[in-house]
Amino acid sequence: MLPRKRPHRAASLAALVLLAVTGCATGDAPQSTDSASSPGSPAATAPGSAVSCQDPPATPSSARSFDQVPSADAARGKTFTATIRTSCGDLVLELDGAKAPQTVASFMHLARAGYWKDSPCHRLTAGGGSPSVLQCGDPTGTGTGNPGYGFGIENAPSDGSYPAGTVAMARSNDPNSNGGQFFLTYADSTIPPEYGGYTIFGKVVEGMPVLRSIAQQGTSSGEPDGAPKQPVSILTVTVTEKKA
């Protein structure tokens, strides 16, 4: 993924939809943290929330960098189970190495390297014509962090459909900027396919209540695109191959 640069604001709704999941720095709604809280201590849960969250750990100061893109052969034709342990509960994913081998190989590599340890999910789009997504994967929480490499688009839907529970890569306007950031849809979403689409590489098989609970609380600014009001961080990610 290439370094994120804040794009120029476009006037059209179509352009705004594209910007909602490019992985560019949001700037308008910076990640907020409670410096007086200790990592792992119970945090208050908003009324109506379906899950209980802990205060997230301190955000890493930088993103680890790697020299080259992992080989797609590590994931080609295989299916994997990934468990993302977050400060608000576990998300269990099924990763499709048959349809997106390069993406899954990269995800597996970064997970095993501990790349996402303690990293915040920095972006939530919550209405206003935007897709319904929680974006994660930048260890710095700024929307600009990347693992030092980038790769191209795989398995982008031709109809622009990203059903609830979809796991897809976030990227900048450069189609070869896929790297470490990804998004999860908490409701059915559509992103116009003329922008090249976004790589779908898996789906959520357990943990949708966690996503929906975070989404229900909206953004910290009250705007439709910004940092989640309920802070949530990835604590660990484990990936195992599913055997036939």
Side-chain angles (χ1 to χ4, degrees):
M1 184 178 297
L2 300 179
R4 304 303 188 206
K5 297 181 180 178
R6 177 190 276 183
H8 295 293
R9 295 291 180 183
S12 68
L13 175 60
L16 291 174
V17 169
L18 171 64
L19 297 179
V21 287
T22 57
C24 301
T26 57
D28 300 322
Q31 181 74 18
S32 61
T33 57
D34 183 357
S35 58
S37 301
S38 59
S41 60
T45 304
S49 176
V51 299
S52 179
C53 297
Q54 297 178 324
D55 288 333
T59 300
S61 59
S62 61
R64 185 177 174 186
S65 185
F66 300 87
D67 293 334
Q68 59 185 7
V69 181
S71 172
D73 291 341
R76 199 178 307 279
K78 301 175 183 177
T79 304
F80 299 85
T81 298
T83 300
I84 302 178
R85 181 171 163 256
T86 82
S87 55
C88 289
D90 289 354
L91 302 172
V92 181
L93 318 179
E94 183 175 279
L95 308 182
D96 192 341
K99 293 182 178 179
Q102 182 62 79
T103 307
V104 173
S106 174
F107 188 95
M108 182 168 56
H109 167 73
L110 295 176
R112 292 175 177 174
Y115 178 78
W116 294 302
K117 178 176 171 58
D118 297 342
S119 64
C121 293
H122 63 279
R123 194 174 200 179
L124 179 74
T125 58
S130 298
S132 301
V133 309
L134 177 69
Q135 186 170 323
C136 311
D138 170 15
T140 70
T142 64
T144 63
N146 68 86
Y149 61 75
F151 54 89
I153 300 169
E154 299 177 298
N155 194 40
S158 59
D159 62 355
S161 177
Y162 299 78
T166 295
V167 185
M169 293 300 294
R171 59 175 177 82
S172 71
N173 293 332
D174 179 354
N176 293 308
S177 62
N178 295 279
Q181 295 189 43
F182 58 93
F183 63 88
L184 309 101
T185 58
Y186 57 85
D188 292 347
S189 299
T190 301
I191 306 172
E194 57 263 33
Y195 299 125
Y198 299 86
T199 299
I200 294 177
F201 66 101
K203 61 184 178 182
V204 179
V205 294
E206 294 179 32
M208 285 300 294
V210 173
L211 282 179
R212 290 177 178 140
S213 175
I214 295 166
Q216 285 171 1
Q217 297 178 55
T219 65
S220 59
S221 65
E223 297 296 323
D225 184 346
K229 182 177 181 180
Q230 170 57 66
V232 55
S233 288
I234 295 173
L235 304 179
T236 60
V237 183
T238 57
V239 181
T240 57
E241 184 180 349
K242 288 186 69 174
K243 302 298 183 180

